[in-house]
Amino acid sequence: FQELNLCIPLESERDVAKLIEWAQSPWFDLAEADYPYESSYIPFALGLGDYSLPAWPLHEACHGASGLSQNMNISIIGDRHNVTFDVFYGGNASFNASQIVLHVDWDQVTTTTEIQTNIWNLMENGVVRKLMSGVKNAVGVWFNVTKNLECFDVVPAINTAPITLTTQQDSELKKKQNSASHLCTERIQNDTVWSSLVCNENMFLIMTYARGLGRDFFWPPSHSKKQHSYSDTVTNRSQVEEDYMSLCSDPTGVFGYPDKSRVDPWAKNLDDMYGGTRIGTSSNIIFSNGLLDPWSAAGVYQSQPSQDEAYCKMKGISDDIIQYPCNMLHNITSNGGIVALILDLGAHHLDLMYSDKDDPPCAQNARKIEESFISKWIEQWVDQRVIHNRYRVREKLLQNQSRNDISIV
């Protein structure tokens, strides 16, 4: 498709699979970086350089120049939850000789007409061409953040999946002097250290493990048929371990990834060390969750907080009154020592970024609430220290009285 503006044309089924992966790869990053102002924070962190995405980049990708939010006369009829449906391109959602229809059954796609003819019709179909052009412009918000690309290489965006060594890389590595240092430097220059951190710490990122299972817009499904949830995908422990080992392959031992005997794909060690969700005895913690950020799927909050009022109030650090939506603040523990904040328009830790005139109300309220809690906790600590010091002084005076038989008035 010329509309995709690819540097190298597609020549095989494998190329098409790579194209699908490429077109789906930047959406996690765009959502993570969905700030209300221009920002280079996420592109820089993921190795694209000091280039800024536009304000609300996810909205720009869907509703801006791409036109993907427009009605393209494409109909999907069937059971999306079970990933069994028909896709009609143009015309009515009916089966006829001229209608282009794709039948999707989980990870398989078939057509209603002779395959070569249907492919030719697809390539010439105005609706499909418009769709391809829209996809190119949408993912270009991320891939062409530099604004200087003349065409697109089908190389997926760097997400959370570690990059493994190919056989050729492994062979070249063994030929080089000081190869470990060279490869680590190369990794830092051309990749992100995030993948190394994930593998070394045995952090199994379950929220990125299951997709295309009938609850999002990804395809094909990442797991076998009839698996629709995270719990479904992790029941087969051997499969999880195999997938983890394939992602964290370290044939040369350069990166120090755990070998198979020490692999902990369920992050049990981290759970044991930090307590997981068993945090009832902890205190003075604020869990902040930006709902635009895909990482919020692994956040801490109440699924259905019980609030009768639409808006709540609390005292700020300067005795000002903070008014906020009640469902924004959740008590995780009954004593209020651990709370969670919900930022409905929050990207990746938006509340910890510098304040900006374009910040949505949730970010402004979150910072005020966080300041109020932190101030309160500091005051409580100071009060406890004062009480403790007074107790120690009194104990010391009583000891002196006992020694010297001196009355205290």
Side-chain angles (χ1 to χ4, degrees), residues 23-79:
Q24 295 185 56
S25 63
W27 297 98
F28 187 105
D29 302 324
L30 285 170
E32 186 179 18
D34 206 18
Y35 298 114
Y37 41 74
E38 293 186 0
S39 173
S40 63
Y41 176 69
I42 298 298
F44 184 82
L46 295 183
L48 295 184
D50 190 14
Y51 300 99
S52 294
L53 290 168
W56 301 114
L58 193 60
H59 185 275
E60 175 65 22
C62 294
H63 298 271
S66 72
L68 287 182
S69 61
Q70 301 175 6
N71 182 3
M72 294 193 177
N73 202 16
I74 298 174
S75 302
I76 299 177
I77 308 297
D79 189 346

Side-chain angles (χ1 to χ4, degrees), residues 280-328:
T281 58
S282 302
S283 62
N284 298 6
I285 301 175
I286 301 174
F287 289 102
S288 177
N289 304 272
L291 296 188
L292 300 184
D293 184 6
W295 292 114
S296 64
V300 176
Y301 47 85
Q302 295 178 354
S303 58
Q304 292 182 333
S306 56
Q307 294 288 352
D308 296 329
E309 302 295 331
Y311 285 89
C312 295
K313 296 180 180 180
M314 67 182 302
K315 184 182 293 187
I317 59 174
S318 301
D319 290 335
D320 57 322
I321 301 300
I322 307 170
Q323 181 169 306
Y324 59 93
C326 293
N327 59 8
M328 179 181 180

Side-chain angles (χ1 to χ4, degrees), residues 76-331:
I76 299 177
I77 308 297
D79 189 346
R80 300 191 190 191
H81 177 69
N82 289 307
V83 196
T84 306
F85 49 81
D86 298 313
V87 183
F88 298 83
Y89 292 89
N92 298 320
S94 60
F95 298 99
N96 57 67
S98 61
Q99 179 72 55
I100 297 176
V101 184
L102 297 182
H103 302 296
V104 178
D105 185 4
W106 202 253
D107 59 347
Q108 301 296 312
V109 176
T110 57
T111 62
T112 54
T113 59
E114 199 276 324
I115 186 66
Q116 294 297 331
T117 302
N118 203 288
I119 288 178
W120 178 255
N121 290 340
L122 274 174
M123 294 176 65
E124 295 300 316
N125 184 275
V127 174
V128 175
R129 296 173 77 94
K130 184 177 180 181
L131 175 63
M132 293 298 102
S133 178
V135 169
K136 175 203 67 177
N137 292 330
V139 299
V141 174
W142 176 264
F143 288 117
N144 195 22
V145 67
T146 62
K147 304 294 192 297
N148 60 13
L149 289 185
E150 296 182 358
C151 59
F152 292 103
D153 289 314
V154 184
V155 178
I158 298 174
N159 278 314
T160 54
I163 306 300
T164 58
L165 291 175
T166 64
T167 303
Q168 181 181 357
Q169 288 174 320
D170 189 22
S171 176
E172 292 176 353
L173 174 62
K174 293 177 180 177
K175 296 178 182 178
K176 295 176 180 177
Q177 294 182 346
N178 198 20
S179 56
S181 175
H182 174 85
L183 188 59
C184 286
T185 300
E186 192 175 66
R187 168 65 66 91
I188 293 173
Q189 291 175 342
N190 301 322
D191 190 12
T192 168
V193 296
W194 174 244
S195 56
S196 300
L197 174 66
V198 169
C199 290
N200 274 300
E201 295 295 329
N202 269 315
M203 293 192 292
F204 185 55
L205 305 174
I206 186 63
M207 78 291 297
T208 66
Y209 182 66
R211 69 179 193 177
L213 306 181
R215 302 177 65 181
D216 54 46
F217 72 172
F218 294 107
W219 188 90
S222 58
H223 289 72
S224 59
K225 204 168 186 178
K226 296 183 179 180
Q227 292 185 322
H228 298 286
S229 67
Y230 290 143
S231 58
D232 290 340
T233 62
V234 298
T235 52
N236 188 342
R237 182 180 178 86
S238 61
Q239 181 64 48
V240 174
E241 292 178 349
E242 182 180 333
D243 292 342
Y244 188 89
M245 285 302 298
S246 67
L247 292 176
C248 294
S249 174
D250 185 16
T252 61
V254 168
F255 302 119
Y257 297 164
D259 58 32
K260 190 170 184 179
S261 65
R262 296 188 297 120
V263 166
D264 181 25
W266 301 83
K268 185 176 184 301
N269 291 335
L270 291 175
D271 188 72
D272 290 342
M273 180 179 296
Y274 297 109
T277 58
R278 304 177 300 280
I279 52 179
T281 58
S282 302
S283 62
N284 298 6
I285 301 175
I286 301 174
F287 289 102
S288 177
N289 304 272
L291 296 188
L292 300 184
D293 184 6
W295 292 114
S296 64
V300 176
Y301 47 85
Q302 295 178 354
S303 58
Q304 292 182 333
S306 56
Q307 294 288 352
D308 296 329
E309 302 295 331
Y311 285 89
C312 295
K313 296 180 180 180
M314 67 182 302
K315 184 182 293 187
I317 59 174
S318 301
D319 290 335
D320 57 322
I321 301 300
I322 307 170
Q323 181 169 306
Y324 59 93
C326 293
N327 59 8
M328 179 181 180
L329 180 62
H330 301 180
N331 280 324

